[in-house]
Amino acid sequence: MEWVDRLVAATCWSTEPGKLDWSSTERVLGTPLPADFKELRRRFPEWGAFSDHVLVLEAQGDTESVLANHESLLRSVRGNPDNRRMFEPFGILGASDESDGKGLVQWGYSLIEEEYYWLVDTSVDSSTWPVVARVDPLEPFQRLDMTASEFVYRVLTESEFSPFGVAATIETPYYRAF
């Protein structure tokens, strides 16, 4: 997990890796999550933020987990069909019978309303899912063909990683557990 190792080195993180159970999340979603992401959460097991900016959803929990977040998004788009427009052109995985195993699953966000998702296709290896992100819920998504940990690394270390990068204002990346 090259990008996870780079994040650990860049943030000087030294906490012992955790043991996380993704089985219920993967069962409900109907697909395994990317190994890179699971390793990222294993290596940074405590809830916290990268450079007080990027938050990565957890394996379990009532609010800040991948599954709880996904279920909340599903309730939102099912309860108010107008909310579906916010996720066009991709839609939320499982929001409709026509989704055919494709759609968005959120894996993280920033403290300034940026949103980070995978563009899931359950018929392909999850390691190939691209990241789609946007700087504001009203802005269009940008597709980035990279893993979640590469995305986080680039946000923290590349000042030219526009519009998501914070390296120009936060010179030394860190991880702060809450």
Side-chain angles (χ1 to χ4, degrees):
M1 302 292 161
E2 171 189 355
W3 291 105
V4 175
D5 291 336
R6 287 182 183 191
L7 268 172
V8 169
T11 60
C12 300
W13 187 247
S14 61
T15 297
E16 285 295 314
K19 292 184 179 182
L20 305 173
D21 181 6
W22 293 96
S23 60
S24 61
T25 299
E26 293 174 329
R27 185 178 60 258
V28 171
L29 292 176
T31 186
L33 296 177
D36 170 84
F37 178 78
K38 292 189 285 189
E39 180 64 9
L40 172 62
R41 286 304 317 168
R42 190 181 79 78
R43 299 283 291 278
F44 293 89
E46 299 175 37
W47 179 244
F50 288 93
S51 296
D52 288 337
H53 182 72
V54 173
L55 294 103
V56 176
L57 296 174
E58 298 179 288
Q60 294 125 359
D62 293 335
T63 58
E64 298 298 339
S65 71
V66 171
L67 185 55
N69 180 274
H70 192 72
E71 290 172 340
S72 175
L73 289 174
L74 285 174
R75 281 190 303 276
S76 173
V77 298
R78 288 176 178 157
N80 182 352
D82 289 338
N83 289 344
R84 291 178 189 225
R85 287 192 305 235
M86 293 176 52
F87 302 98
E88 290 178 352
F90 309 113
I92 299 295
L93 180 70
S96 68
D97 294 336
E98 303 89 46
S99 70
D100 202 24
K102 298 178 181 172
L104 298 174
V105 171
Q106 190 169 16
W107 58 263
Y109 61 93
S110 79
L111 293 173
I112 59 168
E113 295 191 351
E114 295 171 344
E115 300 173 339
Y116 317 131
Y117 299 82
W118 290 291
L119 181 52
V120 173
D121 181 344
T122 60
S123 69
V124 301
D125 183 345
S126 63
S127 69
T128 65
W129 297 344
V131 167
V132 293
R134 58 186 174 187
V135 295
D136 180 278
L138 300 176
E139 294 291 321
F141 287 102
Q142 295 183 39
R143 178 185 168 132
L144 302 121
D145 289 317
M146 62 182 64
T147 66
S149 62
E150 178 182 356
F151 179 85
V152 174
Y153 179 83
R154 293 182 69 189
V155 165
L156 301 180
T157 64
E158 296 179 15
S159 57
E160 66 278 357
F161 191 56
S162 183
F164 303 105
V166 297
T169 55
I170 301 171
E171 292 181 17
T172 305
Y174 59 93
Y175 186 78
R176 181 189 320 264
F178 300 141

